Amino acid sequence: MSTYATGDVVAASCRGHPVEGIYITDRDGMAVLKLKSGYNIGVDQETCTLVRRAGDQPAPAVPTVVQDETLPELAIISTGGTIASKIDYRTGAVTSQFTADDILRAVPGLTTVARYRAEMLATILSENMTPSTWQALARAVHAAVTNGAEGVIVTHGTDTMSYSASALSFMLDTPAPVVFVGSQRSADRPSSDNVMNAMCAAAAARSDLGEVAVAMHATTNDDLCAVHRGTRVRKMHTSRRDAFQSHEMAPVATVAYPSLAVDLSPEAVRRGAVEPALHADLEERCGLLYSYPGMPEEAVRVYEEFKGLVIAGTGLGHVSSECIEALREMIDAGTTVVMTSQCLHGRVCDRVYDTGRDLLAAGVVEGEDMLPETALTKLMWVLGNTADREEGRRLMATDLKGEIRRRSDYGF
Amino acid sequence: MDFKALGLKAGIEIHQQLDTAEKLFCHCPTTLRETEEHTGEFFRYLHATVSEMGEVDRAAAEEMMNRRQFHYLTYDTTCLVENDEEPPAPMNPEALEIALQVARTFEMHPVEQVHTMRKLVIDGSNTSGFQRTAMVAMGGVLPGDGEVETLCLEEEAAQRVEGSTFSLDRLGIPLVEITTSPCMHTPEAVQETAEYIGMVLRSTGKVKRGLGTIRQDVNISIKDGARVEIKGVQDLALIAEVVRREVTRQVNLLAIRDELRVRNASVGEETHDVTALFAETKSSILKRAKSILAVVLPGFAGLVGREVQPGRRLGTEISDYVKKCGLGGIFHTDELPAYGVTAEEVAALRAHLGVADEDAVILISGSKEKAACGAKQVRHRARLALEGVPEETRKMLDEGNTAYMRPLPGAARMYPETDVLPVTITGEHWAAVRVPELLSDLARRMEDELELDPAVARQAAYSEHLPLFRAAVQAGIKPNLAARTVLGTLKELSRDGVAVETIADQDVLNVLAAVEKGEVAKEAVPDLLTEVAGGKTAAEAVADHAGGVSAEELAAIVEKIVAERIKFVQEKQMRALGPLMGVVMKEVRGKVDGKIVSEALRAEISRVI
C-alpha cells in the first residue's frame, strides 16, 4: 500500500537524476509518475518525497446528453465489454466501467439516430458472463420491448457475444430488433470501431428487422457493418474488426457507414412477425466437449452428472470408439448428448462410418449444421423448458430460431 | 541580428530511424517499399477521444475540425499490428539496446521502469490514432554546456503517399528521439549540435541512412516571443537558416503587435455575410463560392499585408489557420484590388460594412459550413496577433520559411499504452551496455592505424559504407585501395548510371582480393564492378580481365601506340606521357598495373625523342 494517492505531486530520483511528477500508481514495486511532458516512468519508491497532496480534484465536467424527443425510442442495455471500456489508471488495464449514458457521450452521433433509455445491467468482461446473466438480460430486453422500445441495443464484450446472442434468440420471441454490439479495439483509441459499430447497431435497431442479431464491422474498412443472426454467428478472429462472420448464410442485414442505410436480406425475420414472449428458464448443467485423438473416456465421464452435453466432434461428428461406451451409459442415465462438428462448416452425419452408427445406437442426437456454441445454449434452453426426454431430443433436431438449416446451400 | 540581445533560446529534437531487424512493436521487417508493390488497401476514420485527464487535446481537437477518410496501403511486409487489427508485441529488445547505447554515450540516466505511452496523433499517419512512445533515459551532456533532456524510443509514423493516403511500410520502424534543453543561443550552435548528435547516433552502426531517415524538429523562442516548434527539417544545412527566419518572424510579429496596440486595434465580433455584394464579381474564386463572409479588423490596415518572413505576411499566417477548415485561404483588403476583385468592389465592401481607412477586412469564401469555420479561425488568429507570437507547431517550407500546422500539443495527448507491459532496466543491464566508439574518434584512429589521409579517414568513418570499408581492410585489402573503391569508385559508377546497388558487398571484396593477389590491375576495378552490376559474378569478371600481359607484349603495344602518334610525341616530348597512358591502359584492359605501364611508356618515349 503506497503512502501516496493518485494525483499527489511527488519528487523522486531516476538513478540520481531528480524528477518531479504526479503520482499515478504502484506497478511491480515501482512508483509510476506522470511527468510534465505527459510521459509516465517507474521510479524507485524509496526515493519519492511528497511535494504536495493532490487535494480534492474537481471531477471533469461531464457534458449532459441532450436527446431529440422527436425521434423513436431505443433501449440501450449495457453489460460491459470493450465498447464500454475505460482505462483504469491504477492498474493500467482496460476495464468495463461505463454507463449507457457514457456510451452516448462517447458516440455523440447516436443522438441523431434515435432517443434512448439506458439501463446498465452489468459491467463485466464477457468471459465472466453466466447463464444467469443471460436470463437477467433476456428479462431486461423483454421488458424494454413490451414497454414500447422500437428496438434494443445490447452492448457486450465480443469474446462470448455470440453465446449471449444465441441464448437470447431461444429465450425471446421479439417483434422488434434486438441488436448486440461490441468493439474489437478499445473505446479510448481514436481508431476504435466502437463509433461505427454503435451507429450501425442503432440504425439496425430502428430498422424492420425482427430478430436477435449481432452488428459488427463487415470488413477491415470503416464502410459497412454486417448484421448477423444470433444463432448463426461466431467470432472468427481474436482481434480483427471483422471477426464476426455469419455461418453458412449471408448476414440478415448490412448497414452502410456513414449513411446508415440498412439493407435487409430476404431471409431476415421482419419486425412484428411474432408477439413478444419470454421463456427464460435454462438448465445450466450442460457442457461442451471438444474431442481430440486419444481423448480418454474419463474426459467424457467428467460430464456424468450433467443434464446435457454437446460434443464438438471430428469431421462428420465422431469421437474415438473408446469413448462410446461412456456416452451410452451417460445417455442411459439421463444425459442428453448432442453431436456437432469442430469443422464448424457443414452438417453432422453419423450414418456414414461405423463410429457414427455406434454413436447413434448409443443415443447421441445429431446436431445437424448447428454451431457447437449455439447447440450448447439451445440445449440449456430446451432442457430448461421441457422435462420430457424424447421431446428434448426432438427439439434439439428441430429448427427453432434459424440455428438449423434444412438445406446446405452451396456458396457459404 | 544580435541573437543574444534578442534572447534567442533554441532546442532540438532529433528523430533517427534505427536499423533493426524488426519493427518496434511487431515482427515485421523494417524495409521500405515502393508504393506500387502494395498488396492491399483499406480506409478508416479517426475520432477524437478524451484523455485520462478527461480533456480533449487542443491539437487533436483542431485536427478533427475537418474529418477525413484515411486510406492505407498494405504490403507483404506489414501485418495486422500496422493495420491496428492486433495488439502490439512486446517492445523490441534490439531497439531498446540501441537506445540505451546512445543514452550511455550522452551520459544519461536510464529510466528504471520504462512505460510505453500513446501520443495522440490524428492526422492519419498512425492507423491507431496514436504513436507509441516511451521515455528511456533523461539528463545527459553535450559538448560545451549543452544538455540532453530526454531520450525516447518511439515508432515511426506511416508516410503520406498523397492527400489522405498513407503507406504502412514505414509505420512502426523504431526511432530514437533525442531532445535537448533550450540551451542554444545562436543559429550556428543549433546546427553544430544537430550535427554532433547525428554523428553520435551513426556511431552505433545501427541507424538507417539516407534521405528521410533522420528528422530534426527545432524549438525556438525569443524574449517576449513564444515557443514555436518547427517540424521536419530534413536538411541539416538549412537548420541555421530556419532559426534565423523564425527569429525574424517573431521579431516582426512583436513589432506588429506593438503597432496594433498603439493604434488601439481590435477584432470585430461580427461575421458579415457579403455574398450578395459579389453576385456580379469577375473573381473566379468568389464566383464559385456558395458563401462569402467578411470579418472586420479595426486598426489592422497595412499590417495584415506586412511581411513577417520573406514572401510571407501576417495575412499568410491568418490564411494558414483558415486552411484548417478545408479552405484554400483568404482575401484581405491590404492586397486588394487583385485576383479579379476590382477597386469598385472593394469600395462597395468598405461602404457596406461602414469601415474606416485604418481598418482591414478579411474575406472568407467557400461552402456555408467551411466559410463559417474560416471566419472563426480569422478572429482567433487576429486576436493572437494582438498578443504577439502564438505558441504553435509549424512545418518547414522551402528555403527555411515555416507555415502553421497546429497548436502546440499539451500533456493531454499522452496516456498509457495498456497493451504493452512496462520494461525494467536493471542496474546489471545498464552496466553491461556497450558504448560505441564515436565516429570522430574512429576517424582519428584509422588515420593513425591505417595511415590514411585525415580527410579520407574522416570520410570513411562517416560513410554509410563504413562496414564494407572495414570488411575490406579486415580481408587484407590495402586501406587506400579499399577507401578509393568504397568511397569513390562506387559513387562515380552510380553517377554514370551503373546499378551499383545490385553489387553485393562480397562481390566488391572478391574484386579487391583479386587486385591484391595481382590477378588483375587496380585500374580494372571500375570495369570489373560495372560487369558485376551487369550480371556477371565477380569470379567471371576477374577471369575475363586476368591472364595478364607479358612484358614483351606490353613493350610491343607501347611501341605501336607511340609509333602511331609519333608527331604528337615529338611535339609534346615527355608531356605526351599523360594523354598516352589512357590509350595504353585501354588497350591492355586493366590487366597491367598502371605503374608498370607508365614505366614502359616513359622508356619508349625517351627512346624516340
Side-chain angles (χ1 to χ4, degrees):
Chain A
M1 191 54 213
S2 169
T3 43
Y4 304 107
T6 303
D8 286 349
V9 178
V10 170
S13 161
C14 167
R15 283 202 169 96
H17 184 75
V19 292
E20 188 175 287
I22 296 170
Y23 175 85
I24 301 279
T25 185
D26 280 3
R27 188 83 190 260
D28 309 331
M30 297 261 183
V32 179
L33 304 187
K34 176 172 277 298
L35 306 178
K36 195 162 163 264
S37 59
Y39 279 97
N40 292 4
I41 60 170
V43 296
D44 181 354
Q45 310 223 30
E46 299 296 310
T47 67
C48 292
T49 54
L50 182 72
V51 175
R52 63 179 174 274
R53 287 277 176 212
D56 290 332
Q57 296 293 325
V62 181
T64 41
V65 178
V66 181
Q67 306 233 33
D68 182 346
E69 294 303 324
T70 64
L71 292 170
E73 187 181 57
L74 300 177
I76 295 186
I77 301 172
S78 61
T79 67
T82 301
I83 193 165
S85 63
K86 270 201 291 220
I87 287 197
D88 181 332
Y89 290 103
R90 287 162 304 124
T91 62
V94 175
T95 56
S96 302
Q97 44 172 226
F98 240 31
T99 65
D101 262 7
D102 287 331
I103 295 169
L104 295 184
R105 280 187 208 99
V107 188
L110 282 174
T111 51
T112 64
V113 181
R115 63 195 162 94
Y116 303 87
R117 67 168 89 139
E119 181 183 345
M120 191 166 66
L121 189 83
T123 52
I124 52 177
L125 295 167
S126 75
E127 59 269 32
N128 298 327
M129 286 273 164
T130 61
S132 59
T133 326
W134 299 337
Q135 291 172 309
L137 181 58
R139 290 189 191 101
V141 171
H142 180 69
V145 171
T146 50
N147 286 329
E150 287 259 326
V152 181
I153 299 170
V154 180
T155 67
H156 199 293
T158 55
D159 280 11
T160 68
M161 188 152 67
S162 59
Y163 286 86
S164 299
S166 65
L168 257 67
S169 299
F170 297 114
M171 289 190 276
L172 290 172
D173 291 339
T174 176
V178 176
V179 185
F180 279 77
V181 66
S183 73
Q184 286 283 82
R185 316 301 289 135
S186 59
D188 59 357
R189 57 177 63 215
S191 60
S192 176
D193 48 338
N194 69 331
V195 171
M196 177 175 143
N197 290 352
M199 295 291 287
C200 292
R206 271 197 59 179
S207 75
D208 266 342
L209 192 69
E211 57 180 310
V212 178
V214 168
M216 292 286 287
H217 263 64
T219 71
T220 194
N221 296 312
D222 282 349
D223 58 351
L224 195 71
C225 273
V227 183
H228 309 276
R229 178 161 287 161
T231 54
R232 296 209 69 89
V233 62
R234 199 167 189 281
K235 186 178 184 179
M236 297 298 284
H237 198 281
T238 56
S239 56
R240 279 179 63 143
R241 286 164 172 72
D242 55 358
F244 283 79
Q245 302 284 326
S246 273
H247 197 74
E248 307 275 2
M249 69 180 291
V252 290
T254 55
V255 184
Y257 186 82
S259 73
L260 302 185
V262 181
D263 184 11
L264 294 189
S265 82
E267 270 215 58
V269 179
R270 296 315 202 253
R271 181 184 284 277
V274 294
E275 287 300 312
L278 173 70
H279 309 283
D281 292 337
L282 295 174
E283 172 51 70
E284 292 189 24
R285 302 277 296 155
C286 290
L288 174 56
L289 175 65
Y290 198 96
S291 87
Y292 55 92
M295 180 170 75
E297 70 162 359
E298 302 99 280
V300 175
R301 292 198 187 278
V302 165
Y303 295 94
E304 271 174 344
E305 299 302 313
F306 280 53
K307 296 279 188 233
L309 175 65
V310 173
I311 300 173
T314 54
L316 285 164
H318 302 133
V319 293
S320 73
S321 307
E322 194 177 322
C323 297
I324 295 176
E325 185 51 35
L327 287 170
R328 186 194 321 279
E329 289 171 21
M330 278 168 62
I331 293 166
D332 288 345
T335 304
T336 302
V337 178
V338 178
M339 182 60 72
T340 61
S341 174
Q342 52 194 246
C343 295
L344 303 180
H345 288 281
R347 193 176 300 273
V348 165
C349 182
D350 279 322
R351 288 148 294 153
V352 178
Y353 294 99
D354 282 348
T355 306
R357 289 190 279 267
D358 293 346
L359 284 164
L360 288 178
V364 168
V365 180
E366 287 176 308
E368 297 291 338
D369 62 344
M370 272 189 290
L371 286 164
E373 302 86 352
T374 299
L376 174 69
T377 59
K378 181 180 179 181
L379 189 56
M380 288 181 177
W381 184 81
V382 165
L383 298 182
N385 283 276
T386 175
D388 182 305
R389 282 198 68 193
E390 277 317 303
E391 175 65 357
R393 291 168 62 85
R394 190 188 66 78
L395 285 173
M396 283 312 293
T398 308
D399 175 40
L400 304 176
K401 290 292 170 78
E403 74 281 7
I404 291 174
R405 298 174 75 75
R406 265 198 83 63
R407 300 169 44 249
S408 303
D409 281 339
Y410 175 67
F412 291 106
Chain B
M1 276 191 284
D2 182 348
F3 294 103
K4 290 232 161 59
L6 287 167
L8 168 64
K9 278 205 252 176
I12 44 177
E13 279 175 32
I14 298 222
H15 305 86
Q16 167 76 62
Q17 287 178 10
L18 303 183
D19 194 18
T20 48
E22 294 180 346
K23 289 183 173 178
L24 190 53
F25 292 110
C26 72
H27 303 299
C28 287
T30 58
T31 327
L32 291 184
R33 306 293 301 272
E34 297 296 330
T35 49
E36 52 268 20
E37 294 172 340
H38 76 273
T39 49
E41 189 172 345
F42 62 91
F43 71 84
R44 301 261 172 78
Y45 302 96
L46 292 174
H47 315 270
T49 51
V50 171
S51 82
E52 63 189 303
M53 302 300 183
E55 49 197 312
V56 172
D57 180 63
R58 62 183 180 184
E62 178 166 294
E63 204 62 59
M64 292 303 295
M65 287 197 317
N66 194 16
R67 198 176 76 156
R68 293 207 312 272
Q69 202 183 68
F70 299 110
H71 289 250
Y72 298 100
L73 305 182
T74 67
Y75 299 82
D76 53 10
T77 47
T78 62
C79 72
L80 289 184
V81 174
E82 288 97 333
N83 290 16
D84 188 48
E85 289 276 43
E86 189 175 279
M91 184 186 274
N92 178 341
E94 186 193 3
L96 181 60
E97 202 57 30
I98 300 166
L100 289 174
Q101 280 187 10
V102 175
R104 237 207 140 104
T105 312
F106 290 119
E107 298 170 40
M108 298 180 80
H109 307 263
V111 167
E112 284 156 287
Q113 192 185 45
V114 176
H115 286 252
T116 302
M117 307 296 291
R118 297 168 170 178
K119 189 194 276 186
L120 276 185
V121 182
I122 52 176
D123 61 2
S125 61
N126 291 70
T127 43
S128 54
F130 52 73
Q131 175 191 34
R132 295 185 185 94
T133 173
M135 187 178 291
V136 173
M138 51 213 325
V141 293
L142 286 166
D145 54 359
E147 185 196 356
V148 177
E149 269 182 358
T150 57
L151 183 146
C152 296
L153 184 56
E154 51 188 35
E155 53 182 4
E156 177 65 283
Q159 69 272 43
R160 196 184 295 272
V161 179
E162 57 177 356
S164 302
T165 301
F166 294 86
S167 178
L168 294 186
D169 51 333
R170 202 180 72 178
L171 179 64
I173 291 178
L175 289 176
V176 287
E177 179 200 64
I178 293 166
T179 307
T180 73
S181 64
C183 55
M184 292 154 250
H185 306 290
T186 65
E188 294 69 29
V190 177
Q191 185 145 335
E192 284 158 18
T193 304
E195 281 168 2
Y196 177 78
I197 293 173
M199 185 274 292
V200 170
L201 286 162
R202 289 197 299 279
S203 299
T204 61
K206 293 295 287 179
V207 301
K208 298 236 182 233
R209 305 287 294 257
L211 194 69
T213 55
I214 185 163
R215 287 193 304 279
Q216 284 86 206
D217 296 348
V218 191
N219 282 299
I220 303 169
S221 67
I222 60 171
K223 205 165 49 213
D224 299 330
R227 185 165 82 87
V228 164
E229 183 182 16
I230 295 164
K231 290 201 93 69
V233 185
Q234 294 224 8
D235 185 354
L236 206 56
L238 264 178
I239 287 193
E241 182 60 15
V242 169
V243 177
R244 275 191 286 272
R245 290 202 184 193
E246 177 57 25
V247 172
T248 306
R249 196 182 70 92
Q250 297 205 10
V251 167
N252 287 333
L253 285 174
L254 290 171
I256 289 173
R257 176 198 67 184
D258 296 342
E259 176 71 13
L260 288 169
R261 286 183 178 177
V262 168
R263 296 183 185 185
N264 209 4
S266 61
V267 177
E269 287 304 322
E270 207 180 328
T271 302
H272 307 271
D273 189 332
V274 294
T275 317
L277 279 187
F278 292 93
E280 302 301 319
T281 187
K282 295 277 182 293
S283 160
S284 53
I285 292 174
L286 294 183
K287 215 171 7 199
R288 272 205 310 271
K290 286 259 184 306
S291 167
I292 303 169
L293 302 178
V295 174
V296 181
L297 301 179
F300 271 76
L303 294 177
V304 180
R306 182 172 297 178
E307 220 173 52
V308 293
Q309 274 184 331
R312 287 180 56 88
R313 297 153 218 292
L314 176 59
T316 327
E317 301 274 313
I318 294 173
S319 171
D320 286 341
Y321 273 62
V322 168
K323 284 176 181 171
K324 286 283 159 189
C325 302
L327 294 169
I330 55 166
F331 289 156
H332 56 83
T333 43
D334 282 357
E335 61 179 355
L336 298 176
Y339 311 113
V341 179
T342 63
E344 292 72 31
E345 284 172 330
V346 176
L349 174 73
R350 283 186 168 280
H352 175 80
L353 297 173
V355 298
D357 287 352
E358 59 268 22
D359 304 342
V361 182
I362 312 278
L363 290 177
I364 309 101
S365 64
S367 70
K368 270 201 159 57
E369 199 176 90
K370 285 182 179 174
C373 167
K376 211 163 113 187
Q377 287 287 85
V378 167
R379 273 199 294 274
H380 174 46
R381 182 60 188 87
R383 278 191 208 105
L384 292 173
L386 298 170
E387 307 288 316
V389 184
E391 283 198 338
E392 291 170 347
T393 302
R394 299 176 68 84
K395 63 178 172 214
M396 198 182 117
L397 305 172
D398 293 344
E399 286 153 21
N401 276 351
T402 56
Y404 173 71
M405 271 175 91
R406 53 179 179 258
L408 276 187
R413 71 193 291 217
M414 286 271 216
Y415 60 106
E417 168 52 278
T418 48
D419 299 343
V420 177
L421 298 177
V423 180
T424 304
I425 299 170
T426 62
E428 298 76 50
H429 184 176
W430 177 239
V433 171
R434 192 182 57 79
V435 182
E437 180 181 29
L438 291 186
L439 296 179
S440 48
D441 296 343
L442 173 68
R444 274 192 293 275
R445 195 163 61 81
M446 291 202 300
E447 198 184 313
D448 294 344
E449 292 175 8
L450 304 179
E451 296 173 352
L452 285 171
D453 173 79
V456 174
R458 189 183 152 89
Q459 199 194 349
Y462 283 59
S463 162
E464 60 186 298
H465 302 300
L466 172 67
L468 178 56
F469 171 77
R470 286 177 126 172
V473 172
Q474 200 87 44
I477 312 295
K478 286 193 186 68
N480 272 314
L481 172 63
R484 190 172 338 125
T485 307
V486 172
L487 307 173
T489 310
L490 283 169
K491 211 178 276 179
E492 289 151 20
L493 290 176
S494 171
R495 262 202 299 268
D496 296 342
V498 177
V500 293
E501 64 281 358
T502 63
I503 304 174
D505 286 0
Q506 194 52 53
D507 286 330
V508 177
L509 295 177
N510 291 346
V511 165
L512 292 179
V515 175
E516 282 299 337
K517 285 197 208 116
E519 291 171 19
V520 285
K522 60 178 181 299
E523 286 74 13
V525 168
D527 287 346
L528 290 166
L529 292 175
T530 303
E531 287 167 25
V532 170
K536 279 189 189 171
T537 65
E540 287 166 353
V542 167
D544 288 350
H545 285 260
V549 176
S550 69
E552 291 78 28
E553 286 169 331
L554 177 64
I557 292 168
V558 168
E559 195 176 330
K560 177 169 88 65
I561 286 171
V562 170
E564 283 168 356
R565 293 164 180 72
I566 189 70
K567 256 204 169 106
F568 174 75
V569 173
Q570 281 167 340
E571 185 187 325
K572 294 274 177 195
Q573 305 274 315
M574 206 36 94
R575 286 195 311 280
L577 182 69
L580 292 188
M581 259 306 280
V583 181
V584 180
M585 285 307 287
K586 205 165 163 187
E587 189 82 14
V588 299
R589 290 194 56 247
K591 293 182 182 181
V592 188
D593 189 280
K595 217 146 121 201
I596 297 168
V597 172
S598 161
E599 278 163 17
L601 198 52
R602 187 183 297 275
E604 180 61 15
I605 293 173
S606 306
R607 197 179 63 77
V608 299
I609 58 176

